[in-house]
Amino acid sequence: MSTFITDLAREAVRKLTPYQSARRIGGNGDVWLNANEYPAAIPFQLSGHNLNRYPASQPPALIKSYAQYSAINPNQILASRGADEGIELLIRTFCTPGQDAVLFCPPTYGMVTVCAETFDIESRIAPLTPDWQLDLDLIAKQLPGCKLLYLCSPNNPTGNILKPDDIENLLHQTAGKQLVIVDEAYIEFCPNASLCCWLARFPHLVILRTLSKAFALAGIRCGFTLANPEVIKLLLKVIAPYPLPAPVAEIATQALYAEGISAMQQRVQQLNQTRCWLQQQLQQFKTITVYDSAANWLLFKAPSADQLFQQLAERGIIVRNQSAQPALNNCLRVTIGTPQQCQVLISALTELLPPEETL
Ligand SMILES: *Cc1c(COP(=O)(O)O)cnc(C)c1O
């Protein structure tokens, strides 16, 4: 078979390892705990009117609701196909291929580096410290030549909140030179940790949000970039003309009505309770080390995690193997599902881990 089609592709694309999304990895099971999704579908209404017309690029009702929800101005918000598209737009808007770099701090969410590679942007790393906080010295050394610094808090997959003082320190260091992106995809699980109120102080702070996690709407692909109006204006030049399908905007707007927000807050409360229960249960296994989490998952270290991952999958329980990430050898990440699903997981672990290893 001819390979010239592949040869025609850009070198950066030929070399690319695509983002390993939970869906792409796949698996057969009925207990899906690998993508930090909400475990049940939420109700919505669809009018289905006017589908003959192109939708507004930035539907005003949606932007207004999100502005209210996050207590900022509508001109500080961009809606996109998930927070992932926000990351892509930031790279395409601010980074020149073959010239600029982005900096990120693994172990963390991998979309930034995949996206940077796609566009031939250098990605640099400043690994987190052993307690999973920012290594300020290392970051300072790597910053020259970077346009974007990507941070994630609470950090996926380590689960901890980054120290606000460290982020503030970095915002001072980067003023006039870099944008600092803080990915708050899970902020609903620890709302007090949001840095949204800093947007007024720091024109180069960018916050990413999504409806995919606490709002239980991963299927509609809707996320938000929060930043000062100058940043938003530039991103609007680059975004596709009609990024949000009309039904997506309609469902997203409903989710942000007062009832939608209080339903979300109830889900968060219930998931946080289930997380506490699951953490206690996991702590009963002598060979497991479970880490604290401020979000809707738990990360734990177990001997032979690759094997355990497979054995759970054979029982229909799909979790996420994080072993390939630097510093996360033998770590599995499990999304908080329903209490029943968590019970199924604990029962499976009780069977799989040798009995003398449980307390
Ligand atoms: C899930 C996730 C996203 C992606 O959000 P979408 O809005 O579904 O694209 C972004 N950042 C982090 C840290 C995530 O875990």
Side-chain angles (χ1 to χ4, degrees):
M1 214 168 79
S2 152
T3 59
F4 86 93
I5 300 288
T6 302
D7 291 339
L8 281 179
R10 290 168 42 223
E11 192 189 353
V13 173
R14 285 198 307 266
K15 288 202 286 198
L16 185 72
T17 308
Y19 179 71
Q20 294 297 306
S21 70
R23 281 292 167 277
R24 199 170 226 159
I25 294 168
N28 282 314
D30 36 40
V31 182
W32 288 87
L33 302 177
N34 67 341
N36 295 345
E37 297 149 327
Y38 186 69
I42 58 161
F44 60 87
Q45 252 117 54
L46 261 189
S47 71
H49 294 330
N50 296 332
L51 291 182
N52 55 318
R53 300 290 178 197
Y54 283 111
S57 165
Q58 295 289 300
L62 175 62
I63 298 297
K64 196 173 149 224
S65 315
Y66 205 82
Q68 250 160 26
Y69 166 64
S70 46
I72 55 174
N73 296 320
N75 66 356
Q76 295 176 289
I77 299 180
L78 177 97
S80 61
R81 288 165 292 197
D84 283 348
E85 190 184 26
I87 294 175
E88 183 184 310
L89 289 169
L90 285 159
I91 289 182
R92 286 171 56 208
T93 303
F94 289 97
C95 300
T96 303
Q99 181 181 314
D100 294 326
V102 297
L103 181 57
F104 71 111
C105 306
T108 191
Y109 186 60
M111 194 59 202
V112 160
T113 175
V114 169
C115 197
E117 281 175 41
T118 319
F119 292 109
D120 217 1
I121 309 296
E122 181 194 351
S123 61
R124 296 189 192 163
I125 61 170
L128 296 176
T129 59
D131 63 344
W132 290 332
Q133 288 295 332
L134 298 169
D135 189 329
L136 296 181
D137 291 337
L138 213 53
I139 291 174
K141 279 194 200 116
Q142 299 272 35
L143 272 176
C146 288
K147 282 285 184 71
L148 307 176
L149 168 61
Y150 171 88
L151 309 173
C152 185
S153 184
N155 185 43
N156 180 4
T158 57
N160 60 300
I161 294 167
L162 299 177
K163 287 181 198 154
D165 287 352
D166 287 352
I167 299 180
E168 189 172 8
N169 180 323
L170 287 172
L171 280 162
H172 287 295
Q173 263 189 63
T174 51
K177 288 175 279 192
Q178 283 95 13
L179 292 188
V180 176
I181 304 170
V182 180
D183 189 334
E184 293 190 349
Y186 299 93
I187 204 65
E188 282 79 14
F189 296 96
C190 48
N192 294 335
S194 177
L195 300 184
C196 201
C197 58
W198 290 6
L199 285 172
R201 281 170 61 206
F202 298 106
H204 58 307
L205 171 62
V206 178
I207 292 176
L208 296 173
R209 297 281 190 82
T210 180
L211 298 186
S212 297
K213 309 288 163 51
F215 281 96
L217 288 171
I220 68 169
R221 311 301 303 121
C222 185
F224 300 90
T225 303
L226 319 183
N228 91 70
E230 201 177 337
V231 173
I232 300 297
K233 249 192 217 159
L234 289 162
L235 298 178
L236 281 169
K237 290 175 87 169
V238 176
I239 198 169
Y242 309 105
L244 294 184
V248 169
E250 205 177 328
I251 297 168
T253 307
Q254 283 167 35
L256 294 164
Y257 289 161
E259 311 90 85
I261 290 173
S262 71
M264 177 276 287
Q265 286 162 340
Q266 276 168 26
R267 288 193 294 274
V268 163
Q269 207 182 5
Q270 163 238 317
L271 285 174
N272 284 346
Q273 270 171 18
T274 309
R275 184 188 66 224
C276 288
W277 178 84
L278 184 64
Q279 184 166 10
Q280 283 165 5
Q281 295 295 307
L282 290 170
Q283 279 162 351
Q284 305 298 310
F285 296 93
K286 239 188 198 166
T287 53
I288 284 182
T289 308
V290 56
Y291 302 98
D292 289 336
S293 167
N296 66 337
W297 74 82
L298 284 168
L299 184 77
F300 63 93
K301 204 179 193 78
S304 329
D306 290 344
Q307 189 194 345
L308 189 59
F309 171 82
Q310 278 307 329
Q311 290 171 322
L312 288 172
E314 283 157 20
R315 283 164 174 72
I317 304 166
I318 315 296
V319 301
R320 188 92 196 225
N321 192 350
Q322 296 286 348
S323 294
Q325 284 233 49
L328 294 187
N329 189 28
N330 278 326
C331 285
L332 300 179
R333 188 194 71 189
V334 52
T335 302
I336 307 305
T338 63
Q340 293 82 347
Q341 290 173 326
C342 294
Q343 181 59 64
V344 169
L345 173 73
I346 292 301
S347 304
L349 289 173
T350 308
E351 253 178 74
L352 291 168
L353 298 173
E356 67 272 16
E357 290 176 1
T358 41
L359 288 176

